Every structure is written in structure tokens, then in C-alpha cells.
Amino acid sequence: MDFLRAGVRRHTFARIQCRQLHLLQNKAYVEGKWISAGSGNVFKVENPADDSLIAKVPDMGAADAKKAIDAAAEAFKSWKNTTPKERSNILRCWYEIVEANSKDLAAIVTAESGKPLSESYGELAYGNSFLDWFADCARHVKGEMILSPWPNKQIMVTRQPVGVVSVITPWNFPFAMITRKVGALLAAGCTCVVKPSEDTPLTALAAIQLAEQAGVPKGVINVITSSRKNVAEVGKVLCEDPHVRLISFTGSTVVGKVLSAHAAKGVKRVGLELGGNAPFIVFPSADIGRALDHAMLAKFRNNGQACVGANRFLIHEDVYDQFVNGFKEHIQKKCKLGPGTHEGVTCGPLINLEQAKKVSSFVEDAVNKGARTLVGGRFATDLGNKFFESTLIDNVKPGMKVYHDEVFGPVASVIKVKSEEEALEIANSTKHGLAAYVFTKDLGQAFRMSRDLEFGMVAINDGILSTAEAPFGGIKESGIGREGSMHGVEEYTEIKYTLMSGLEK
């Protein structure tokens, strides 16, 4: 196993001893065994803060994916017949073990994702809340008895687990996206194969070590790892194999469409949580101080690399100057860029060079077309090649990419609006429909915005809306289905109708 070398720069995890990296794993997990790729190939997982090597993990291909699916299919035969109480107890145990190992997990999350340790702890608390929640939900999956239109007959409706689930997760929340999906499907009685992002596979492998300790039987959860080179062939198998009955994916809309096309060949169900382009709307009646504080949360959490992150700030002309000046001041005071292990850092590096270049291109495009940079707008090259300054731009127009497309980085664009109608028109003028944020003290306006915004989730006077108890998901090209809440468990069940007849004797 390749650990961080003692000679790397001071701000890497060399100072975090093996005590905090004992969960670091360099094998994939299939049928309860830690295994290598059939080819023997590996790929590197690097720290985005300084490109230092953390570990090498198996570079698996189609044959490895098939092996993992077969293991999940075999395990489903027995797992589907476990009682809800048994599944609940295992999920509760997993939750408790994660709680006990949060420090070690946080070190791995920060090492491979680059986010500050404080945010890694926050993600672990959030992600573990799903295990806590789904441990309860497991015992509350219900059917129903429906009054029959015929005498001496009874209509019974039950929910049964859908079967083997392919789980494909992103790099921005490498722990929470595992637990939000796997916790729900386990509660429903399904088994799975997890393919984490090639940028952040180590968190998934660490989480599954703890699931194994919690008593999850072999084959119920399987984790395969693959590089970008093999991801297409692995994804195809995960979608088209006949044993797989549902594909759960969080990531870009482009990839979501590809996976949907593969799944359609077998008429398989899909759960898709895709891109977002969240508006952040501030009206004259709003508490501007509160709006500013929550703007920082909605925009710069995980350095803007969040699907529900605010992208377009639509500010009413009556409070525009006040908000923009305040936002600029907040960014300058509260955004501290640096390696995630440094004390006080609030914004780490972007995940990879491709992402860094993409964010930079958005700003360059806007500035070239007349936008004005109020704060940031450049790489902090003294820190490394993936550190981009927290940025605020105004004078944003429809012809600019930031006006229509999701940035997925630390760039906030402000647009002046004259009315509620204009704010709605701009907010809804996107193919995405995941999250929206509205700040107003006008109750009628709050209800109108909730009704008229074409988004699956709307937060009124708050910049953080995700919680295990609420249904998370979008409309339009932002996805299909819901995660979290009781609805999140039901996504992994099939409804069966049984007619009981001949009951007259």
C-alpha cells in the first residue's frame, strides 16, 4: 500500500500518522473479500492539494464488474428474506461504527477530495445521518389492503426489494453519496455494486470496511474501482447486466443521459441526481444580513463543488447595491483558500486540473463579454495549480456561460432584477431544476415562489436544505426519483398486487 511520503510538502497528510489512516485500503471489495483487478492493473489516487500519492487502487474492467454483480445477485437470494428488524440493526451498527471512526474517515476525505477538515467532518455527520435515518425506515416499509369491488375477494398490496442495484457516486461528497444510496437500498432489502469516482475511491473503501465490521453479509455490498480509461466499459456492464434492476447515479447530466440509454435496453429503473443551476433570489423585504450569511453557505460550501450550490444570484434592484457590497465584504473576510489540513482554511483546491480549467474558462468567458470581476477571478498559483480564488462577478448578461450553465466552482454571478416576474423568468430559464433559494419576509411571495419555481427543492430564507428526513431530488434535466426521506427507501422497492379470491369458505 502506498502511503504519503514523509518528504512531501508540509501541508500534506504526512503529519497525520497511520493512526488516522488505518482505514486506507488499496483493494476492491467483492463477495466479502478484498481483491485486486483481474488484470492486476492499478491507478493512482492523488491529493489534489499537491498531487502527492495517497494510494494505488485496482483498475478494474468489465469482467471485474460482472463478478461483483454476480456476487450481489447471489447475496440477494438470502438478504431479501432478512427481516426489517435485522436490516435495521445492521444499519444502526454501521452508524455507530462510523461515529467512532469519524476522525479517521475525515482524514481520508480531506486527503483525496481536498476539502477542509472542518467540511469533511460536516460531510461525515451529514452522511451518517442517513444511516441513522434508514435504520429507522427499514422497519416502516408498508403495504396496504384495498377495499375490493367484488364480494369474497381481497386486494393486497406489498412492497418488495427491487433486487441488485448499481450505485455510481461522484467525488464531491464521497461519503454522503454512498450512505444516502446504500443505506436506503439496504433498508429495502436490496444488494448492490458501488462504483465510486476515480478521484475519490478511498472514502468508499473505508466506509465499506466499517460496513463489514457492522455485520453486512458478504456480497450484499460490493465496491469496484476503475480509472477514467475503464469507466465507460464498467458503466455499460453496471447498466446492462440482466441481474441489475436499478441504476442509482449522482453526477453530470451528460453522463446521466448515457447511463439512462444503457438502462433503457433492459427496461431498467433509474434513480438520477444530476446537475443543478440553482438561483439565489433576494427580494426587498428580505433580511439582508441573513441573506448574506446564507449566500456564503449556499455558494462556497465545498468550494462551490455542490450540485445544490447557488449559481446565479438574482438580486432585486432595490437592495442590489447593499447585497453586492455586503457579499464582496463577506467573501474577502471569510473565504480563506489553502490546503484542507491547514487551520482556518475554508476553501480547498478544486478536485482536478480539468475542473480547475473549466471554472477558469467560465470567468474568462464572462469577462471577455463585458462582466466585471469584483473579487477573485484568478488562480492562486502560490498554493498550487488547482486553487482558484473565491470569485464574485457582476454585469452578467444572457450571452455568457455563467448565465445559463452550472459552474461547479467558487464563482458567484450577480444579476439585477426589477420584479418578482423577472426573477422567476430568469430562474426558470434553464434545463436544470434541482434547488432554488429565496429570501423574502413576504409570506404570500414565499408561497408563490415555492409554487412557481421549476425546481424539485426550494429553500425559503435558508442556504442549506439537505437533510436525511426530506426528499432530495430535481425535475427537468436535474434527475429522476428522490433520495432521503421514506421516499428514498421506496425508490428501491417494487409494488406487488395480490388478489386473494375464493374466500367464501
Side-chain angles (χ1 to χ4, degrees), residues 391-464:
T391 301
L392 177 64
I393 58 177
D394 71 350
N395 199 32
V396 174
K397 305 297 181 183
M400 302 172 185
K401 289 194 294 185
V402 293
Y403 191 95
H404 295 290
D405 299 336
E406 181 183 30
V407 178
F408 221 68
V411 179
S413 57
V414 288
I415 302 169
K416 185 184 294 186
V417 297
K418 297 180 179 179
S419 64
E420 179 180 316
E421 293 73 21
E422 184 183 12
L424 276 169
E425 182 180 358
I426 296 173
N428 291 336
S429 65
T430 173
K431 63 185 178 181
H432 296 110
L434 188 57
Y437 306 91
V438 179
F439 285 77
T440 178
K441 289 183 180 178
D442 182 331
L443 185 59
Q445 186 174 59
F447 276 100
R448 290 193 302 273
M449 298 302 284
S450 171
R451 178 194 64 203
D452 295 336
L453 281 166
E454 297 171 357
F455 295 83
M457 300 177 287
V458 178
I460 306 295
N461 297 323
D462 209 298
I464 299 290

Side-chain angles (χ1 to χ4, degrees), residues 24-346:
L24 199 63
Q25 179 58 250
N26 68 343
K27 302 287 186 183
Y29 186 73
V30 175
E31 201 177 10
K33 302 171 185 175
W34 295 98
I35 66 170
S36 301
S39 65
N41 293 334
V42 297
F43 67 96
K44 297 177 181 179
V45 181
E46 297 176 338
N47 187 325
D50 59 9
D51 298 326
S52 60
L53 179 67
I54 306 171
K56 295 178 182 178
V57 297
D59 192 2
M60 301 178 120
D64 299 299
K66 173 62 176 172
K67 181 178 180 180
I69 292 169
D70 289 344
E74 182 63 28
F76 180 66
K77 295 176 183 178
S78 56
W79 180 252
K80 68 180 179 180
N81 294 321
T82 56
T83 67
K85 183 176 180 180
E86 288 177 86
R87 299 196 292 269
S88 175
N89 287 342
I90 289 174
L91 284 166
R92 179 73 60 201
C93 187
W94 190 8
Y95 161 80
E96 291 171 351
I97 291 174
V98 168
E99 283 283 289
N101 287 271
S102 60
K103 188 173 183 180
D104 300 22
L105 282 169
I108 294 174
V109 172
T110 291
E112 65 177 351
S113 75
K115 66 178 62 178
L117 273 170
S118 59
E119 288 207 14
S120 293
Y121 281 115
E123 180 188 343
L124 289 169
Y126 170 63
N128 210 22
S129 72
F130 286 101
L131 298 182
D132 184 29
W133 171 255
F134 291 130
D136 289 337
C137 290
R139 303 182 71 174
H140 295 280
V141 178
K142 298 177 181 178
E144 57 184 317
M145 301 298 291
I146 299 175
L147 294 176
S148 169
W150 310 290
N152 302 313
K153 296 183 183 182
Q154 185 68 58
I155 295 172
M156 181 173 69
V157 177
T158 54
R159 285 188 177 272
Q160 296 182 328
V162 67
V164 177
V165 180
S166 290
V167 175
I168 305 174
T169 59
W171 46 261
N172 56 336
F173 291 94
F175 179 76
M177 296 303 97
I178 297 286
T179 55
R180 194 163 77 183
K181 298 173 185 294
V182 176
L185 68 89
L186 292 186
C190 298
T191 60
C192 66
V193 177
V194 179
K195 208 297 285 182
S197 167
E198 58 274 13
D199 289 306
T200 55
L202 302 176
T203 301
L205 296 172
I208 293 336
Q209 284 189 70
L210 302 183
E212 181 183 49
Q213 293 176 30
V216 174
K218 68 177 184 179
V220 171
I221 305 175
N222 305 273
V223 181
I224 58 173
T225 56
S226 64
S227 68
R228 284 178 176 81
K229 180 183 69 175
N230 289 335
V231 70
E233 67 174 69
V234 168
K236 190 172 187 293
V237 173
L238 291 177
C239 291
E240 295 185 3
D241 189 280
H243 285 309
V244 174
R245 295 313 312 156
L246 188 151
I247 297 92
S248 179
F249 170 73
T250 295
S252 72
T253 299
V254 171
V255 175
K257 290 179 179 180
V258 173
L259 297 178
S260 291
H262 287 315
K265 295 177 183 178
V267 197
K268 301 177 190 291
R269 288 169 56 183
V270 293
L272 303 175
E273 196 264 282
L274 307 176
N277 192 4
F280 188 103
I281 306 170
V282 181
F283 290 113
S285 66
D287 179 334
I288 300 301
R290 180 179 179 85
L292 288 168
D293 288 340
H294 285 262
M296 297 298 293
L297 296 172
K299 175 69 257 182
F300 295 106
R301 182 168 61 113
N302 200 25
N303 210 16
Q305 299 173 118
C307 56
V308 293
N311 211 47
R312 302 163 294 156
F313 288 78
L314 311 180
I315 314 301
H316 194 278
E317 60 183 2
D318 290 352
V319 292
Y320 184 85
D321 290 340
Q322 181 184 358
F323 180 88
V324 171
N325 290 334
F327 202 12
K328 178 180 178 180
E329 183 179 334
H330 273 57
I331 293 170
Q332 291 171 328
K333 287 184 176 180
K334 298 185 178 183
C335 290
K336 182 179 179 181
L337 193 61
T341 51
H342 279 194
E343 186 175 351
V345 165
T346 61

